[in-house]
Amino acid sequence: MDLKMEDFNAPHSMGTTIIGVTYNGGVVLGADSRTSTGVYVANRASDKITQLTDNVYLCRSGSAADSQTVSDYVRYFLHQHTIQLGQPATVKVAANLVRLLSYNNKNFLQTGMIVGGWDKYEGGKIYGVPLGGTIIEQPFAIGGSGSSYLYGFFDQAWKEGMTKEEAEQLVVKAVSLAIARDGASGGVVRTVTINSEGVSRKFYPGDTLPLWHEELEPQNSLLDMMNVASPEPMNM
Amino acid sequence: MGVEKLIASKMMLPGSNRRIHSVHRHSGMAVAGLAADGRQIVTRAKSEATNYESVYGEPIPVKELAQRVASYVHLCTLYWWLRPFGCGVILGGYDRDGPQLYMIEPSGISYRYFGAAIGKGRQAAKTEIEKLKLSEMTCRQGVIEVAKIIYGVHDEAKDKAFELEMSWVCDESNRQHQKVPDELLEEAKAAARAALEEMDAD
């Protein structure tokens, strides 16, 4: 396949799989770590879960530049708001600021985001802010190119009132399923868990993730297969 | 919140010349002093409240509203070409942190109160308020007590006739700021007149 020069100058896009899930007591946010320019993987270990305040985080997908800029503005506004209010901002306010920027600049931006966090009034909350700038409060949200493969999975696997461990396992499993099928998602799985006690970041490198249908075990070289005594060297 | 509305002329329609205004669904303001200045403050408060909601997506916390109104009133004390507002305002509202009461004076000072009074009879009114056990009262009982205080403080000799205007915001009013319902208002007025007679009888 020919690699044209345009590919290297193409805008950085995060193919991405992003997920936000509420559980009994807080939220778990999850994402893959692949940032691509065309077919080249510009960053294989990016962090797509960005902090807005101590208690609210944002999952970014779509154009990397657009989502980073939006998150920078929202962090700035929220910081001022927190000072004025004298207490931590609520997740709803953070999500509203994100969607105002997204909606009012819809002709220029191409980014889908998931806002998740915990506040003392409403507890754990997830808000989806997809491409056009709608805002929708959901018990769980998925986004990015890899999310197409997860709609059916969540319909079946999601349940109300999970524990923290169940929610984290669900998120890791879902992101790894999406990575298996979506070429624009890959790398490691990052999760951020937010509850009344604070924020906890986890990191799952590729070798800790389960293998799905037809995925091969990691091996040093395919030539190793030849030395193994096998009754069926090749299936014709 | 209650206002002793002195009736300037017998020709005036009862219920006109409102002194208590709703600023937002969940908050209202009672004005004392120059009516035109008060109107300006109320308009500004309404605009701050709607603007906050469009930006932040939630009703403006009462504390924040009080700060914004106070800044605005204070602004007019900074420049030689502006005169200070000729009125004080009592702001009552119900938000996430429960019901709250703030008072903003023409200097721009704003404090949160459990009981407040502005106007000619405020000293006497404050004394009466301090006698009340506020934490043990419901809003309904509060309405009756406010009516009693206003009737008690009204000076029959010097002042003309007056009309009592009252509003409330509480769980019973569904956390919305509204005029006190007519039957409760009548009940409060009756209780206030009865209390006056008792005092006179001594």
Side-chain angles (χ1 to χ4, degrees):
Chain A
M1 199 169 94
D2 289 340
L3 280 171
K4 301 190 174 52
M5 274 318 286
E6 299 97 66
D7 286 342
F8 291 105
N9 294 326
H12 281 50
S13 139
M14 295 179 301
T16 310
T17 308
I18 49 173
I19 298 179
V21 153
T22 57
Y23 70 90
N24 185 17
V27 298
V28 180
L29 302 175
D32 74 307
S33 70
R34 178 171 289 184
T35 306
S36 38
T37 26
V39 294
Y40 173 67
V41 176
N43 186 351
R44 62 183 166 94
S46 30
D47 182 9
K48 302 181 186 180
I49 310 179
T50 323
Q51 184 183 27
L52 294 180
T53 69
D54 287 342
N55 54 315
V56 181
Y57 279 66
L58 175 74
C59 294
R60 303 180 290 110
S61 80
S63 154
D66 288 352
S67 63
Q68 281 172 11
T69 308
V70 167
S71 92
D72 286 345
Y73 272 111
V74 173
R75 191 181 308 121
Y76 170 67
F77 294 135
L78 275 177
H79 183 221
Q80 294 188 318
H81 180 64
T82 305
I83 292 172
Q84 179 75 7
L85 226 54
Q87 59 187 36
T90 56
V91 190
K92 186 172 187 191
V93 164
N96 202 55
L97 289 172
V98 171
R99 74 100 177 181
L100 281 179
L101 282 170
S102 220
Y103 177 74
N104 290 323
N105 296 296
K106 60 159 74 197
N107 293 326
F108 308 110
L109 294 175
Q110 198 176 62
T111 163
M113 289 166 284
I114 298 178
V115 182
W118 184 94
D119 63 58
K120 72 181 189 208
Y121 298 111
E122 295 282 336
K125 284 284 178 192
I126 293 282
Y127 292 86
V129 183
L131 241 43
T134 34
I135 176 172
I136 172 156
E137 200 247 297
Q138 302 169 295
F140 68 89
I142 54 179
S145 57
S147 66
S148 320
Y149 308 102
L150 296 176
Y151 284 97
F153 172 71
F154 269 92
D155 281 346
Q156 193 228 34
W158 155 262
K159 46 187 175 50
E160 189 73 47
M162 291 185 283
T163 66
K164 180 166 83 125
E165 289 68 31
E166 284 177 329
E168 278 178 5
Q169 288 314 309
L170 179 67
V171 167
V172 172
K173 184 173 178 184
V175 178
S176 86
L177 279 168
I179 287 175
R181 287 290 179 180
D182 179 31
S185 299
V188 304
V189 177
R190 294 191 195 274
T191 64
V192 172
T193 307
I194 313 172
N195 51 33
S196 57
E197 285 147 32
V199 176
S200 138
R201 260 192 185 277
K202 292 207 173 79
F203 164 80
Y204 299 85
D207 53 359
T208 61
L209 301 173
L211 289 170
W212 304 113
H213 182 52
E214 280 176 348
E215 283 189 309
L216 297 174
E217 294 277 338
Q219 48 210 327
N220 291 324
S221 164
L222 288 173
L223 291 173
D224 289 347
M225 283 200 326
M226 290 175 56
N227 293 333
V228 174
S230 165
E232 302 166 88
M234 283 266 256
N235 272 330
M236 292 298 283
Chain B
M1 296 188 287
V3 177
E4 173 205 23
K5 227 168 30 177
L6 296 177
I7 301 177
S9 140
K10 290 209 179 86
M11 287 285 137
M12 267 176 55
L13 209 61
S16 66
N17 197 25
R18 285 194 67 78
R19 300 274 292 279
I20 304 184
H21 303 89
S22 273
V23 167
H24 201 51
R25 278 184 305 274
H26 65 342
S27 51
M29 247 180 203
V31 175
L34 296 178
D37 287 10
R39 193 181 169 72
Q40 175 97 333
I41 296 183
V42 170
T43 309
R44 179 73 187 207
K46 285 179 179 171
S47 146
E48 293 281 4
T50 39
N51 173 258
Y52 182 99
E53 184 151 3
S54 1
V55 171
Y56 296 104
E58 61 167 11
I60 185 168
V62 192
K63 178 175 167 194
E64 180 74 21
L65 180 61
Q67 275 177 354
R68 292 195 180 196
V69 171
S71 303
Y72 182 64
V73 169
H74 178 242
L75 185 74
C76 300
T77 65
L78 292 174
Y79 302 104
W80 64 267
W81 36 267
L82 282 177
R83 68 161 173 82
F85 278 97
C87 59
V89 147
I90 294 183
L91 167 68
Y94 203 135
D95 64 21
R96 298 280 208 148
D97 297 314
Q100 291 155 67
L101 186 73
Y102 289 87
M103 184 163 83
I104 299 121
E105 296 169 21
S107 57
I109 289 179
S110 155
Y111 287 121
R112 184 178 169 198
Y113 292 90
F114 293 108
I118 330 177
K120 207 162 49 141
R122 66 178 176 279
Q123 287 298 86
K126 280 186 202 167
T127 322
E128 290 303 309
I129 294 173
E130 280 168 23
K131 292 182 192 163
L132 298 171
K133 290 204 169 63
L134 293 169
S135 50
E136 293 165 18
M137 275 168 34
T138 65
C139 198
R140 217 158 228 277
Q141 291 166 325
V143 168
I144 314 244
E145 293 301 328
V146 167
K148 283 188 195 162
I149 293 175
I150 291 190
Y151 270 78
V153 146
H154 177 72
D155 192 342
E156 279 298 336
K158 292 195 193 145
D159 298 329
K160 304 174 191 158
F162 78 101
E163 190 190 329
L164 177 65
E165 191 179 320
M166 292 201 66
S167 77
W168 66 350
V169 55
C170 53
D171 290 323
E172 218 186 307
S173 75
N174 221 358
R175 302 191 182 183
Q176 316 261 41
H177 178 256
Q178 36 182 241
K179 263 175 62 175
V180 163
D182 290 332
E183 346 84 54
L184 181 55
L185 190 60
E186 286 313 313
E187 196 188 315
K189 284 184 187 171
R193 281 187 218 110
L196 261 186
E197 275 161 26
E198 258 187 58
M199 269 175 23
D200 289 342
D202 293 336

